[in-house]
Each structure stands twice: as structure tokens, then as C-alpha cells.
Amino acid sequence: MSTPVPASDRPGGRPEVPTPPGGAPLRVNPARRAAAMTAPAHLPIVDETSAGGLVLRAGSERPEDFSAAVLLRRNRTGRLEWCLPKGHLEGRETPQEAAIREIREETGIRGSIQAELGVIDYWFTGEDRRVHKVVHHYLLRAEGGHLTVENDPDGEAEDALWVRVDELAERLSYPNEQRLAAAALDLLESSRNLRDALRADAFPTERPDLP
């Protein structure tokens, strides 16, 4: 799997996306998990695994003209957030199977995995538990469907939009997803084979790009 490249090291001088204090790395860090196991002691530790990613449709042959399906959701405070589609593994699903299903349910787009993109690892505390969350992200080729949130079983998203890959880092709300978007653009720029694979079986856009 390719290691995501920090934005500050990417060609073209695109600005570095800051990670806030305590922000989650793109890889699971055993030291962070060991530290979280010790506090708070009275709450049980629960491991959760989710999967999702970027499902891309082709524009021109230029890497920056590929677009990804992105969700708009309200957080608990009512603020609108831009985020990538993802969700929990169900039954005996693999992360790859869950990513394909979740993206189809949440965006209406059927995709096939073309590359591994990265893993986000973080912790959060609920009322009765301390949760260690690991989210696997993949790069998918859009193969069909209609962009919609009407079939999202959780009903959490307000809308789904196509966003150009070179604009994702500016639009996504979470720093680690911004870094994943930067890694996706790097992969597109560095691999002609990947661009060709993503363009195969391209289907007509059913909703316009953002202006």
C-alpha cells in the first residue's frame, strides 16, 4: 500500500493540511492505543472497524479533473460538514466489501476498488465506553448508479455532490480526510495506469460538478 505523502512534501507547492493536537494519524499507532487503554479506567474499551473511501468518476485525462462523491452532513451542533462515505462492517464482511456497500448505500454510486488509500485511527469517548475506531479507505472507480442520499439507511446525509479531486482538501471538514484526499491526488498524478483503470467503463455524469 502506498504511504500517504504529507501535503507539505507534495509537488506543486500545495499547502500543508494541519493536524490538530491529538489528531488521528493515517496509520494505527500502537503507542496511542496503549495510552488510551489506561484512561479512563472505569470505562470499557471497544474496538470498531469501518470502511469507505473515494469513489471517483473520470473527467478529462488530467488527474485534477477526476471527481469524488462527497457527503454533506450535520453534526450534533448543527454545523454542516463535508465528509467521505463510510460505515461499519456488517457480519463477516471484509473492509473492502464494506467500503463498496457503504459507498453504494450512502451515495448511490456503484464502485470497484482500484487501490488502497489509507487507514485513519482515532479514539472517542461515549457515555458508557471508550471507543477505538479504525477506518479503512480505498480508491474506487465509479461504474454506475445515480448520485443520491435517498437510500442511506441511517438518513444522516443531507446531500451528495461530485467534487473535483484537486478541491477536496479544501472542502472536506476533517484534517485526516483532507490528508487522504491529498494522498489520492498524489496517486493519480504518479500513476498513469491507475488513471487509465479509473477511466475504464466511465459512465455519464448524472449531476453537475460544483461550480
Side-chain angles (χ1 to χ4, degrees):
M1 181 179 74
S2 299
T3 300
V5 179
S8 59
D9 295 336
R10 292 188 286 122
R14 289 184 292 274
E16 180 179 1
V17 178
T19 300
L26 288 178
R27 298 181 187 174
V28 176
N29 186 334
R32 286 171 56 85
R33 189 179 195 282
M37 290 285 288
T38 63
H42 64 285
L43 293 180
I45 300 294
V46 176
D47 289 306
E48 292 185 359
T49 303
S50 292
L54 278 70
V55 57
L56 302 181
R57 57 142 199 210
S60 70
E61 294 184 0
R62 300 188 308 170
E64 61 268 25
D65 286 339
F66 285 80
S67 298
V70 177
L71 299 176
L72 276 70
R73 289 177 169 158
R74 298 277 176 185
N75 65 14
R76 294 181 179 178
T77 66
R79 183 170 66 91
L80 192 64
E81 296 179 335
W82 298 63
C83 54
L84 300 178
K86 56 187 173 294
H88 293 91
L89 275 63
E90 294 184 356
R92 302 180 67 178
E93 277 185 326
T94 65
Q96 294 88 343
E97 291 169 338
I100 293 171
R101 175 186 54 77
E102 285 288 342
I103 289 171
R104 177 75 179 271
E105 290 178 352
E106 294 189 346
T107 70
I109 301 300
R110 183 179 71 255
S112 63
I113 293 175
Q114 303 299 308
E116 295 180 341
L117 188 55
V119 179
I120 292 178
D121 164 46
Y122 62 94
W123 290 83
F124 64 91
T125 301
E127 294 182 358
D128 60 351
R129 64 186 63 188
R130 180 97 163 121
V131 179
H132 176 226
K133 183 92 166 185
V134 177
V135 188
H136 299 263
H137 289 83
Y138 301 91
L139 207 61
L140 290 79
R141 179 182 66 216
E143 297 186 339
H146 175 72
L147 192 63
T148 178
V149 296
E150 294 180 358
N151 299 318
D152 179 6
D154 297 325
E156 296 178 346
E158 294 193 5
D159 204 355
L161 299 168
W162 290 111
V163 179
R164 283 167 50 105
V165 174
D166 61 347
E167 296 178 359
L168 275 177
E170 297 178 358
R171 293 189 180 271
L172 290 170
S173 298
Y174 297 104
N176 281 313
E177 291 194 351
Q178 294 168 0
R179 295 173 63 193
L180 286 168
L185 183 56
D186 284 339
L187 285 175
L188 289 172
E189 291 176 336
S190 63
S191 175
R192 176 64 181 270
N193 289 338
L194 176 60
R195 296 197 302 272
D196 289 344
L198 289 167
R199 288 183 59 81
D201 301 322
F203 70 101
T205 303
E206 300 188 41
R207 289 186 54 176
D209 283 333
L210 290 174

